[in-house]
């Protein structure tokens, strides 16, 4: 569990809710498309009775299986950052690397100097609002 009693933050609960919603909606869409592809011809065209029954039966059998597989596969891919680290740190938010002194941020990139005297941040963003980078 995490250092704060195993409780999830509101952001973590919101992320899980969104992921579950995505899993269910994408599974419903995939299942509807599959059902339309398999059973659609039986519903749209006059086919022999045996073929219509087989197509409808296959569509009604395979659709829930696809739905369940899609939901499970989406939810299994959802990362649980709390389980990855014992302190519950999210990915990308690590402690100061060993050897980094006080006042350092652990960034490997130094601030680049522009030719016009302004400084530019490592991500290519200008350091002053309203000024643009020459290569933007």
């Amino acid at each position: 569990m995490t250092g704060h009693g195993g409780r999830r933050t509101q952001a973590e609960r919101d992320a899980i809710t969104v992921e579950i919603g995505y899993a269910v909606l994408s599974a419903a869409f995939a299942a509807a498309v599959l059902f339309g592809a398999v059973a659609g011809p039986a519903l749209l065209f006059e086919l022999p009775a045996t073929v219509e029954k087989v197509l409808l039966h296959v569509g009604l059998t395979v659709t829930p299986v696809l739905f369940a597989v899609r939901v499970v596969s989406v939810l299994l891919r959802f990362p649980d950052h709390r389980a990855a680290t014992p302190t519950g740190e999210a990915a990308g938010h690590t402690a100061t690397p060993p050897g980094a002194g006080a006042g350092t941020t652990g960034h490997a990139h130094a601030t680049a100097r522009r030719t016009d005297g302004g400084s530019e941040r490592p991500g290519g963003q200008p350091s002053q609002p309203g000024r643009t980078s020459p290569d933007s």
Side-chain angles (χ1 to χ4, degrees):
M1 288 282 152
T2 64
H4 55 279
R7 300 188 130 186
R8 296 184 190 272
T9 64
Q10 185 63 41
E12 289 171 327
R13 290 192 306 264
D14 291 345
I16 292 169
T17 301
V18 168
E19 195 69 16
I20 291 169
Y22 169 73
V24 169
L25 289 176
S26 68
F29 179 76
V33 169
L34 178 69
F35 182 78
V38 173
L43 299 173
L44 293 175
F45 304 112
E46 288 190 34
L47 300 173
T50 306
V51 174
E52 284 184 6
K53 286 182 182 181
V54 167
L55 288 177
L56 286 173
H57 181 69
V58 168
L60 290 172
T61 304
V62 176
T63 300
V65 172
L66 173 69
F67 181 85
V69 168
R70 175 69 181 162
V71 168
V72 169
S73 69
V74 168
L75 293 179
L76 285 178
R77 285 190 314 216
F78 183 67
D80 187 10
H81 296 292
R82 295 179 334 140
T85 60
T87 60
E89 293 175 344
H93 295 98
T94 59
T96 305
T104 62
T105 60
H107 291 287
H109 301 287
T111 302
R113 298 304 265 163
R114 296 190 343 199
T115 56
D116 62 356
S119 66
E120 189 174 300
R121 294 188 180 159
Q125 295 295 319
S127 62
Q128 299 174 356
R131 297 185 72 180
T132 58
S133 177
D135 56 344
S136 62

